Amino acid sequence: MRYEDWRATRFFPGLEGLRAIAALLVVFHHARTHRLWGVLEGWNGVTLFFVLSGFLITTLALREEDERGALRWRAFFVRRGFRILPVYLASLALYAAAMFVLGIGATHRASFVHAVPWFLSPLPEVPFFTHVHVVFSLAWSLGIEEKFYLLWPLLAFVVLRRRGGARLALAVVLALVCQLPLALTGGGRAVAPYSAVLVGCVLAFLLHDRRTFPVVARLGSNAGFVVAATMLVAVHASTHLWHPTAEGFRVSSAAYYLPYSLAAALVVGSLALRSRPGIASPPMRFVGRVSYPLYLMHPLGLGVAASFVAPGGTVAELAYLAVGLVLSLALAYALHRVVERPLIRVGKQQAARFGTARERDSARIALAAA
């Protein structure tokens, strides 16, 4: 792919498929038994989400800066808010209804009520990182991303506006610094995940720069994809095989985030440069489109499936997983249609208020035609 073609690309179907893989890894990880699919190590799906987020947000911000002269950071915050918060709050309400009205997971009510103030605060990751086992603790990853969305645009695109070298250096340094507490003291588990997001930012800077693009663009070849995918599979497998009976070194070791994030970034770059038919197939893209509500709702879907399918042998566990996956996808699609998609449109409409009159008119025409 030529640099001009890359800059003209507005949609990355392969990344939708990769987002689907990340979401399904998490679903498998939270299924009630790892005996059949534990090797998939679904924890890694969250890290893959982080790399994707850093890459996509930074790429879009860089292109807006080139086209408009600066990132409209107020509009960015509005779009992100309408993209994340409605589905998050609707999911939290559904969990509360399932627990208090339907009685699903009723034994967890006390810990859930205790954690709700955190879930409604800017620090939803606190229950997870304080070892409190509570329903909806997967909100921890949203806490990481929300603070990244808040701080990174201001730092990289307001304070360091159009200073490409300084921004790249900052992303690299911060990615390393985020690992220091974990490496030196074994603490800092709530800081280390930011390194994965920042690795995605580094990839975005390298692809956006005409000077470094030809080097990174080699990932778009068949050989580049094979090498990238092989590296990711190898690092992915190592997180299970090195510690098959323990928690492994997932969040408790500095040996996890940077190796996995670098391997994931190579695959992200390869699929962004050139989409592959299998990973960009309609079923994969469908799962990718609903991946955010799927991530939030799948524990509820799996929980309902567990009440219908009793534990048993391989056939029973496969049936449980199939029922749980179908229910989770149904819940995710319902949230996507009723909450996510309409509120994204509203967010774009509200964000258009921060543009010029011509941009506001264009936004209204686009929304009317959607």
Side-chain angles (χ1 to χ4, degrees):
M1 177 183 287
R2 299 179 308 160
Y3 179 73
E4 291 74 17
D5 296 331
W6 165 253
R7 291 295 302 274
T9 302
R10 297 296 177 185
F11 177 63
F12 310 108
L15 297 188
E16 266 196 346
L18 192 60
R19 188 180 284 114
I21 290 175
L24 292 173
L25 287 173
V26 178
V27 174
F28 292 148
H29 178 67
H30 289 147
R32 75 183 166 201
T33 176
H34 285 197
R35 183 165 57 86
L36 296 176
W37 40 80
V39 71
L40 293 177
E41 279 298 320
W43 174 276
N44 298 325
V46 180
T47 309
L48 189 52
F49 273 127
F50 286 153
V51 176
L52 278 165
S53 293
F55 170 74
L56 289 170
I57 291 302
T58 303
T59 295
L60 294 174
L62 286 167
R63 293 183 177 185
E64 182 173 329
E65 184 181 66
D66 282 353
E67 293 171 2
R68 304 176 185 272
L71 173 68
R72 297 179 302 161
W73 56 272
R74 295 179 184 86
F76 172 86
F77 290 152
V78 170
R79 290 194 301 269
R80 285 292 95 191
F82 277 91
R83 172 70 175 85
I84 295 173
L85 293 178
V87 172
Y88 177 84
L89 294 174
S91 298
L92 183 60
L94 286 173
Y95 274 88
M99 196 174 300
F100 291 95
V101 178
L102 302 179
I104 299 173
T107 57
H108 298 281
R109 285 177 182 173
S111 59
F112 179 77
V113 170
H114 177 75
V116 163
W118 289 114
F119 294 150
L120 294 175
S121 79
L123 298 169
E125 66 270 32
V126 168
F128 179 82
F129 286 113
T130 53
H131 306 286
V132 177
H133 179 71
V134 59
V135 173
F136 208 65
S137 61
L138 46 67
W140 77 270
S141 62
L142 275 298
I144 301 295
E145 293 209 350
E146 286 168 2
K147 282 178 275 296
F148 163 74
Y149 293 145
L150 178 65
L151 297 175
W152 179 247
L154 294 177
L155 187 58
F157 293 92
V158 177
V159 177
L160 296 178
R161 177 182 169 187
R162 289 194 171 278
R163 297 180 62 181
R167 293 190 291 206
L168 175 59
L170 177 67
V172 172
V173 169
L174 287 178
L176 296 173
V177 167
C178 286
Q179 296 298 302
L180 285 180
L182 206 56
L184 297 177
T185 69
R189 293 174 60 207
V191 177
Y194 288 99
S195 62
V197 190
L198 289 160
V199 167
C201 299
V202 170
L203 173 65
F205 287 132
L206 294 177
L207 281 171
H208 191 77
D209 192 321
R210 185 183 291 272
R211 295 166 298 179
T212 52
F213 175 83
V215 177
V216 186
R218 295 173 184 174
L219 290 170
S221 66
N222 289 332
F225 176 72
V226 169
V227 170
T230 301
M231 289 180 64
L232 181 59
V233 169
V235 177
H236 187 100
S238 71
T239 63
H240 175 78
L241 298 177
W242 290 2
H243 298 271
T245 60
E247 280 297 308
F249 57 83
R250 290 188 289 244
V251 295
S252 58
S253 169
Y256 169 70
Y257 277 107
L258 286 178
Y260 192 89
S261 300
L262 290 170
L266 295 179
V267 174
V268 169
S270 180
L271 291 174
L273 288 159
R274 179 181 170 189
S275 180
R276 264 68 188 183
I279 200 169
S281 63
M284 293 296 288
R285 290 179 59 186
F286 166 75
V287 177
R289 279 194 298 273
V290 302
S291 59
Y292 176 41
L294 175 62
Y295 174 76
L296 290 173
M297 296 305 301
H298 75 271
L300 188 56
L302 291 173
V304 174
S307 67
F308 286 105
V309 184
T314 300
V315 174
E317 293 309 312
L318 288 175
Y320 150 74
L321 181 61
V323 172
L325 186 56
V326 169
L327 289 174
S328 300
L329 284 170
L331 287 169
Y333 182 68
L335 272 182
H336 173 71
R337 289 298 301 268
V338 176
V339 179
E340 184 177 34
R341 195 163 70 176
L343 270 296
I344 287 175
R345 293 181 72 246
V346 173
K348 290 179 179 179
Q349 189 176 36
Q350 294 301 313
R353 296 167 54 195
F354 296 98
T356 64
R358 178 179 296 179
E359 289 166 352
R360 291 194 292 270
D361 291 340
S362 298
R364 281 193 289 269
I365 293 172
L367 287 168

